[in-house]
Amino acid sequence: MPRPKKRTEIFALGNEAVVQGALLAGCTFFGGYPITPSSEIMEIMATRLPVMENGVFMQMEDEIASMGAVIGASLSGRKAMTATSGPGFSLMQENLGYAVMAETPLVLVNVMRGGPSTGLPTSPAQGDVQQARWGTHGDHPIIVLSASNVQECLDMTITAFNMAEKYRTPVILLLDEVTSHTREKIEIPNEGEYEVFSRTVPSMPPEWYKPYEETVRGVPPMPPIGSGYRFHVTGLTHDRNGFPTQRPEEVVELMERIHRKIDQFFYDIQLVEEIMTDDCDVCVIAYGSVARSAELAVQQARSHGVRAGLLKLMTLFPYPRRHTEKILAHAKTLVVPEMNMGQMSREVKRVNMGHAAVRTINRVDGQIVTPSEILKVIMQG
């Protein structure tokens, strides 16, 4: 048998790895506006996309226009993305809601920094977690992913594109300043070693096509604009043909379907890494760069005879409830460290319902949560 081709190894920043992952996933459009600490993603895209066949890079006048450009590019059939931080993420919320309603696949990378407002532009934080879930108005489903190291920045960017295309939805990838600016050796997977999913296109004749028709998966096929299939795109509540409606039965049908297309695939969407959780009495639930501190703290606790474990969240929303409930069958204490006032701990407490003690560790001073801080709480039991 032929030897498998050796993977290319490079040293890269987290933001560089995001670009590598996006290009491997088939991204051909980037629209954005520079803002610390996400700017390297845009800068590298500005050099990579224009020299690619079919690649397009656009610097827009602001983050509102950036999201509009990404939506338009996606509707034309391209895999499209943007990247931002802090105040830019706030400006993107209205068009993010438009993309949810129009069921437009795209990837939005938000490198979190201290806030609110201008806040701490060059310091790490995790204060945008609940904004990622509920930042745009109205009842809406959303997929929010995270990465804790540079390799995961690459891998989870590919995953973000695949989920966006598979479920016809915007996907948010939340990083933090530490992860995005850490430089580590990563492996670039060879072609064929990773999944690349592209949206389903209609197989029926154009005259039979209904752009928002019910399907078994709840995800209608999506043709590129200009390919002969006519459809109406709007942020208004719409019927199966895409035209605005206020008929209660049509409104309910649409809202239930866009939620169901996510809800029925939790097994595919909710990604976690379980580290020594099978017998743990104390379980740390962490994400992003804090998960790295947590893993070391768990290892140190084990060396002291404490049965500690780590549930690393790679999907933040929909929150991995079933993975948490499995741990609650034996864990007596849950520890939730994060660089905010307690945003993910809200989700943990909602699922916990008083079964275990929930201890939180919160930092909002622009400094990381250290392994020693987490270890101290673990040892308290």
Side-chain angles (χ1 to χ4, degrees), residues 287-316:
Y287 56 95
S289 64
V290 178
R292 302 184 73 159
S293 294
E295 184 171 358
L296 178 56
V298 164
Q299 292 169 354
Q300 292 172 338
R302 285 273 174 172
S303 70
H304 286 90
V306 177
R307 291 192 298 184
L310 169 63
L311 179 64
K312 183 167 77 173
L313 305 179
M314 302 170 82
T315 299
L316 303 186

Side-chain angles (χ1 to χ4, degrees), residues 55-272:
V56 175
F57 170 88
M58 293 184 69
Q59 177 171 331
M60 305 304 292
E61 65 266 31
D62 56 34
E63 290 85 356
I64 300 172
S66 299
M67 274 295 287
V70 171
I71 291 170
S74 180
L75 290 170
S76 74
R78 292 176 178 268
K79 292 185 178 182
M81 74 171 293
T82 189
T84 191
S85 303
F89 190 48
S90 297
L91 288 172
M92 291 184 174
Q93 294 303 319
E94 182 178 1
N95 269 338
L96 179 63
Y98 187 97
V100 171
M101 183 60 96
E103 297 181 70
T104 308
L106 59 87
V107 172
L108 193 173
V109 179
N110 175 27
V111 182
M112 294 181 285
R113 65 191 228 184
S117 189
T118 310
L120 299 167
T122 60
S123 298
Q126 295 176 321
D128 302 348
V129 170
Q130 291 294 339
Q131 184 185 19
R133 177 60 188 93
W134 297 111
T136 194
H137 67 277
D139 284 317
H140 65 281
I142 198 75
I143 297 174
V144 183
L145 306 178
S146 182
S148 64
N149 58 53
V150 178
Q151 184 68 54
E152 285 179 9
C153 287
L154 184 151
D155 297 338
M156 295 305 290
T157 301
I158 296 175
T159 300
F161 273 97
N162 286 339
M163 288 187 179
E165 296 285 315
K166 190 180 295 185
Y167 301 111
R168 269 194 73 172
T169 184
V171 175
I172 299 170
L173 176 58
L174 283 186
L175 307 179
D176 58 66
E177 187 276 334
V178 169
T179 306
S180 71
H181 286 155
T182 295
R183 186 180 296 275
E184 295 177 316
K185 182 188 289 186
I186 62 171
E187 293 184 348
I188 309 298
N190 299 312
E191 187 175 355
E193 293 182 342
Y194 56 94
E195 178 188 25
V196 175
F197 193 97
S198 296
R199 66 196 68 174
T200 302
V201 296
S203 56
M204 73 283 288
E207 60 270 20
W208 294 359
Y209 176 63
K210 292 183 178 180
Y212 298 101
E213 191 168 28
E214 181 64 85
T215 67
V216 174
R217 294 179 59 246
V219 184
M222 183 180 181
I225 285 179
S227 61
Y229 290 83
R230 297 184 62 184
F231 61 99
H232 187 259
V233 181
T234 179
L236 290 166
T237 303
H238 45 269
D239 60 18
R240 294 188 176 193
N241 291 308
F243 293 109
T245 181
Q246 293 188 22
R247 293 180 178 176
E249 65 276 11
E250 292 178 335
V251 174
V252 170
E253 180 184 89
L254 171 65
M255 293 298 291
E256 288 184 344
R257 181 180 59 75
I258 65 174
H259 281 82
R260 189 177 69 255
K261 72 179 183 180
I262 304 298
D263 295 348
Q264 67 182 345
F265 294 105
F266 279 178
Y267 66 89
D268 181 54
I269 296 171
Q270 293 175 333
L271 305 176
V272 301

